[in-house]
Amino acid sequence: MPANAARLLGKEGVKTVGDVIDLLPFRHEDRRQMQALAFQAGLLPTCHHVLITKTGNKFFGRAGVFEAVVRHATGLLGQQLTLKWWNMPFMSRVLAEGQELIVYGVIKDTKGRLSMAHPEYEIVKGGADDDAGQIHTGRITPIYRLKGAMTQKALRVAAWHVMQALPESFIEDLLPAPSEEGEFAGMSRSKALREVHFPSSMEKLEQARRYLALQEFYGYQLRVARRKRRVIESGGRRQAGTGELLRDFFNELPFQLTAAQQRCLDEIHRDMASGNPMNRLLHGDVGSGKTVVAFAAMLRAVESGRQAVLMAPTQILAEQHARNARKWLEPLGLRVALRTGSKREDGDGFELMRGKSSSAKPELVIGTHALLHDAELMHNTGIVVIDEQHKFGVAQRAKLIRKGDTPDVLVMTATPIPRTLTLTIYGDLEVSTIDQKPRDGVKIITKVRPKTKLKEAAKFLREQIEEGRQGYIVYALIDESEKLEAGAATKGHEEWSKLLAPCEVGLLHGRMSAEEKEEVMKRFRAGKLDALVSTTVIEVGIDVPNATVMFIHDAGRFGLAQLHQLRGRIGRGAHTSYCVLFVDDKDEENRQRLAIMEETSDGFQIAEEDLRRRGPGDVLGHAQSGQAPLLFGELLADTRLVRLARQLAERTLDEDPQLLRPALALFRDETVVAEKAQAMMQ
Ligand code: ADP
Ligand code: MG
C-alpha cells in the first residue's frame, strides 16, 4: 500500500488489513464505458471521464463560484461542460487545466449551456497523487463512505492493494460450505468480499451481495434458533388439566368456537401438555376472536393448579379483558384480579390497599405494564399471555416472562406480518393463525372522502344512531404530544355535540384519569353514549359490537396498518358497518394511497400494499443509512435466503459447533433486527 494512503487511513483508525476489508463500499459506479456517453442534461447523475480546459473563480456579490470547463477526455466529442463549486474558492488550488477527472453528477441545461454543480470528482491524471488507471476507471468502481481526512482515492488504492496481496485463506468462511451446484457454487467469503470491493461484473457483484446477505441472515438465525433451543431445554411443566373448568366455560359461552379458533386452541393445549415450555404466537386479524382462545388457554393453567397472567398495552383494554373474564369466569368460582397503574383489584370487588393482599391468591391476573413491577406476582405462574404484543418492546416482553418460572407463553397480535418477515420477527415462536372470522358475513363499507363532506357524514351517522347503532369519531395528531391530541379531540367533541344534537356524544383521550376513561367506556358500552369522540386510545382491542360507524379525521396522517387496526373496532356485531376516512380536499396522493382500504378488509393484503408503497429502501436502509443492522440483506426481497439461512443455522446447531462461535459474533444484538422488522409493520 502506498505510504501516503496508509498514513491517511491510519489517522482515522483504519490500521489493519481487516479494517480495510471491513470498510465496505456503499455503492459502485459503472465506469467501464463512460467515454462513450455524451454530456446530456437529465435528472439522474451520470459519470464522465473529462479533461479540464480552463478554470477560474467568479464572484457575484458575496457569493463566489469556482468553475472548471471540461470536455471529454477522449476529445472525440466537441461538447463543453462547466463544473461549478459554490463558495469553495480553494478548489482553484485543487484543480488545474490539463488534469483528467472522473466526474459524477447531474447535468443541467441552461439555455444550451451545460453545467454540473458540486459533482463528485476524482483526479485521475495530472493530480498530486495520480495512480494506476486500472483502480479508478475502466471498471466497476467502489465508492466508499469517507471519514475525516480520508479521500476516495486513498481508500480505494488501499483496498486494491490489500485485496491484491491477500492470500485466499486469510478470510475464513463463516457459512457452511455451499453445495457443489446451485447459486453459491464456488463462492466463499473471501471471494465475495473481493467482488464487493472490486467487482468483476455486475452479476458477480449481485451474487456476492447475496452470499454476504445469506451470511448475515445466518448469523441472525443462528442466535434466534439457539435462543429457541435454550427455552426448550430449560424445561417446562406439563399442564394437562382436568378439563372440568373448560367444559363449564364452553357450556356457558354464548357462542361456539369457530373451526379456526378450535384448531389454534388445540395447538396451544398440546404445547401446554407437553414437557417443553410453550412459546407461541396467536395470530389473527382484528375481530377474529383471539381473546376467548386466550381465556381457554389460561383456564388450562388454572386447572393445573397455577396462576394465569394476561398483559394488555392499555388500561382500557385491560379493563375490558378483566370485565369479560369476570363475566365468564367468576360463575365458575374463579377470582380475576386487575392490576393497572392506578388499580389493584383482587377480584372480589374490593380495592386493596397497596401492599396488603387477600389471603387466597386470584387465579387470573389481568393488567397493563404495571404487572412488570408487581413484586408478589408470578411465583406460581403457569401461563403468561401478552395481548397486542407489537405494542410492547422486545425487552418488556422478556421481563414479564422472566418473572415467572419458565411459564408457558402465548403472545397475540393482529398485525399482519407478510410471510417474508415472519421468520425474522417470530423466528423463535411457533405460530397459530386464526384465519377465519366469527362473523364472516358482516361487511364493512369504507369510503375515502374530502373533509367537505362532513355534514353529509353527520347526517348518515345520525340515521345509524336512530336505528340504535353507535359510532366512533377519531381525532389524532400523529407525532404530536398527547396534550395537543387531547386538545384536538376536545374541540372535535364540541363540534360533533352540536352536529349530532340531541344525541349523546362522549369524549375519550389519553389525558383523562383512569376513572374518567373507564366511566366513559362504561357508558358507551351500555349504549348511553351514541357516539364517542376519541384519540387513538381506542386503537387496539376495544370491542363494542353495537358500534357500526367509524369516522377518522386526517386519515392521511395514518399508516395503512394503523387505519386497519382502528377500523377493526367496527364490524364486530351482526350489523353492516361503515368507515369514512376524511382527507384534505385536494389531497390526491392520500386518496390514492387509502384506496386499498376501500377495496379490502383483509389485513394481509393491506400490509403488503403498505410495504410495497413504502418500498424496502426507506424502512430498512442498507449500508447507506449508516447503522442499519443488515448491510447486505433485504428482509423483504431475500425471503429465500432467510429460509436457507434458517436451515443452515439449524444444521450448524445440530452438527457443527465449531462454526458457531465466529458466526455468533456476526450479531451482538440481534434484537435490533427483529425490532426493525417489527417497526416496518407499524
Ligand atoms: P380480536 O381477535 O380482535 O381480539 P375479540 O377476541 O375481541 O377479537 O373478539 C371479537 C368479538 O367476537 C368479541 O365480541 C367476541 O366475543 C366475539 N367472538 C369471538 N369468538 C366468537 C365466535 N366463535 N362466535 C361468535 N362471536 C365470537
Ligand atoms: Mg384483541
Side-chain angles (χ1 to χ4, degrees), residues 51 333 382 439 490 556 630 653:
L51 171 74
R439 300 184 203 275
T490 307
L630 298 171
L653 287 172

Side-chain angles (χ1 to χ4, degrees), residues 172-445:
E172 281 176 16
D173 284 347
L174 297 176
L175 275 172
S179 63
E180 299 286 314
E181 66 260 37
E183 181 178 356
F184 299 117
M187 245 315 163
S188 65
R189 182 164 160 241
S190 168
K191 285 209 179 89
L193 286 169
R194 280 166 206 270
E195 285 292 341
V196 162
H197 279 280
F198 294 94
S200 52
S201 70
M202 282 302 189
E203 294 72 33
K204 283 275 185 219
L205 173 60
E206 173 59 10
Q207 190 191 24
R209 181 200 70 79
R210 288 177 61 83
Y211 180 87
L212 294 172
L214 177 65
Q215 176 186 297
E216 276 177 344
F217 291 142
Y218 169 76
Y220 174 71
Q221 291 294 346
L222 205 52
R223 280 193 174 261
V224 173
R226 192 176 65 147
R227 188 168 61 219
K228 181 170 177 175
R229 287 184 185 210
R230 282 189 173 165
V231 169
I232 291 172
E233 281 157 17
S234 67
R237 27 168 96 94
R238 292 176 198 281
Q239 305 196 79
T242 57
E244 277 172 45
L245 283 175
L246 277 163
R247 199 192 49 222
D248 293 348
F249 173 61
F250 287 126
N251 278 340
E252 206 200 329
L253 209 59
F255 49 74
Q256 284 228 306
L257 292 190
T258 61
Q261 282 171 315
Q262 188 62 54
R263 176 177 41 76
C264 292
L265 183 58
D266 291 345
E267 287 164 4
I268 291 164
H269 281 167
R270 206 174 309 134
D271 280 2
M272 294 180 73
S274 85
N276 296 329
M278 172 166 77
N279 204 10
R280 190 170 279 275
L281 168 75
L282 179 59
H283 193 202
D285 206 351
V286 283
S288 62
K290 295 182 288 294
T291 315
V292 62
V293 175
F295 285 173
M298 292 165 82
L299 280 180
R300 170 99 329 149
V302 175
E303 280 180 354
S304 311
R306 303 219 160 71
Q307 199 171 42
V309 175
L310 185 157
M311 179 164 78
T314 65
Q315 172 228 336
I316 297 176
L317 185 53
E319 304 239 4
Q320 174 180 294
H321 284 325
R323 185 171 338 89
N324 280 332
R326 283 177 185 154
K327 185 172 76 195
W328 286 332
L329 306 178
E330 277 178 354
L332 310 182
L334 302 179
R335 275 150 311 167
V336 179
L338 177 64
R339 301 268 191 278
T340 67
S342 57
K343 259 196 198 156
R344 288 174 64 82
E345 291 175 5
D346 266 7
D348 36 21
F350 300 107
E351 286 208 24
L352 295 180
M353 308 286 289
R354 256 189 193 285
K356 215 166 123 191
S357 66
S358 61
S359 48
K361 293 221 181 301
E363 286 84 0
L364 295 100
V365 183
I366 294 174
T368 57
H369 308 77
L371 288 170
L372 298 174
H373 311 290
D374 203 305
E376 66 177 290
L377 259 191
M378 317 283 179
H379 295 302
N380 186 31
T381 305
I383 186 169
V384 169
V385 180
I386 299 176
D387 192 16
E388 309 287 354
Q389 69 85 30
H390 59 282
K391 290 277 169 187
F392 294 98
V394 172
Q396 279 176 316
R397 247 179 294 166
K399 185 171 177 196
L400 183 66
I401 294 162
R402 266 201 313 274
K403 290 194 91 155
D405 173 18
T406 52
D408 284 332
V409 175
L410 181 67
V411 301
M412 309 201 287
T413 188
T415 306
I417 311 291
R419 272 173 234 307
T420 45
L421 291 182
T422 37
L423 204 51
T424 304
I425 301 183
Y426 298 127
D428 58 338
L429 301 179
E430 305 296 328
V431 181
S432 293
T433 307
I434 310 184
D435 50 8
Q436 173 188 17
K437 289 191 190 178
R439 300 184 203 275
D440 254 341
V442 180
K443 276 230 303 248
I444 303 182
I445 296 167

Side-chain angles (χ1 to χ4, degrees), residues 418-650:
R419 272 173 234 307
T420 45
L421 291 182
T422 37
L423 204 51
T424 304
I425 301 183
Y426 298 127
D428 58 338
L429 301 179
E430 305 296 328
V431 181
S432 293
T433 307
I434 310 184
D435 50 8
Q436 173 188 17
K437 289 191 190 178
R439 300 184 203 275
D440 254 341
V442 180
K443 276 230 303 248
I444 303 182
I445 296 167
T446 302
K447 297 286 175 201
V448 182
R449 287 283 179 265
K451 275 188 201 166
T452 43
K453 301 277 183 198
L454 212 74
K455 287 251 160 59
E456 285 154 60
K459 187 161 158 271
F460 176 76
L461 175 54
R462 186 192 286 275
E463 284 164 16
Q464 284 282 306
I465 291 172
E466 276 159 16
E467 284 179 31
R469 305 284 85 76
Q470 293 164 281
Y472 298 99
I473 299 156
V474 179
Y475 282 85
L477 304 164
I478 307 298
D479 290 336
E480 309 263 356
S481 71
E482 210 176 40
K483 187 171 159 194
L484 288 175
E485 201 172 77
T490 307
K491 211 163 136 258
H493 177 244
E494 282 168 25
E495 269 172 50
W496 281 96
S497 296
K498 280 187 209 131
L499 277 170
L500 295 174
C503 300
E504 288 289 327
V505 182
L507 171 65
L508 190 72
H509 60 69
R511 305 263 293 177
M512 291 160 59
S513 75
E515 287 75 31
E516 287 171 319
K517 277 189 253 180
E518 197 194 348
E519 179 61 24
V520 171
M521 275 316 292
K522 206 160 130 193
R523 295 183 59 209
F524 187 64
R525 195 172 293 109
K528 292 193 179 125
L529 295 173
D530 301 305
L532 187 59
V533 172
S534 158
T535 59
T536 49
V537 290
I538 58 145
E539 179 185 343
V540 291
I542 298 302
D543 183 45
V544 179
N546 190 48
T548 56
V549 178
M550 169 159 289
F551 293 161
I552 302 178
H553 286 275
D554 290 322
R557 297 181 183 219
F558 291 90
L560 294 179
Q562 204 182 2
L563 288 173
H564 179 67
Q565 278 280 350
L566 278 166
R567 184 175 60 177
R569 300 311 112 221
I570 56 172
R572 297 183 151 247
H575 305 278
T576 303
S577 297
Y578 307 88
C579 176
V580 183
L581 306 173
F582 289 109
V583 296
D584 283 340
D585 304 350
K586 300 223 166 60
D587 190 352
E588 251 332 288
E589 198 182 322
N590 272 313
R591 273 186 99 117
Q592 277 181 26
R593 183 173 69 92
L594 302 183
I596 181 90
M597 300 291 297
E598 297 180 332
E599 283 157 33
T600 181
S601 305
D602 179 338
F604 274 100
Q605 245 175 302
I606 291 169
E608 299 210 325
E609 169 69 14
D610 207 10
L611 285 171
R612 196 185 62 73
R613 283 199 161 257
R614 284 188 287 170
D618 82 72
V619 275
L620 258 204
H622 301 277
Q624 286 94 324
S625 70
Q627 340 171 309
L630 298 171
L631 288 175
F632 298 100
E634 298 184 22
L635 283 174
L636 285 169
D638 293 330
T639 317
R640 219 170 46 75
L641 293 183
V642 172
R643 278 211 204 95
L644 177 57
R646 180 54 172 251
Q647 283 167 17
L648 294 177
E650 298 279 358

Side-chain angles (χ1 to χ4, degrees), residues 92-109:
S92 63
R93 291 194 300 275
V94 181
L95 298 184
E97 195 182 317
Q99 286 173 343
E100 285 181 27
L101 309 179
I102 301 290
V103 294
Y104 184 77
V106 174
I107 297 179
K108 210 170 98 183
D109 184 336

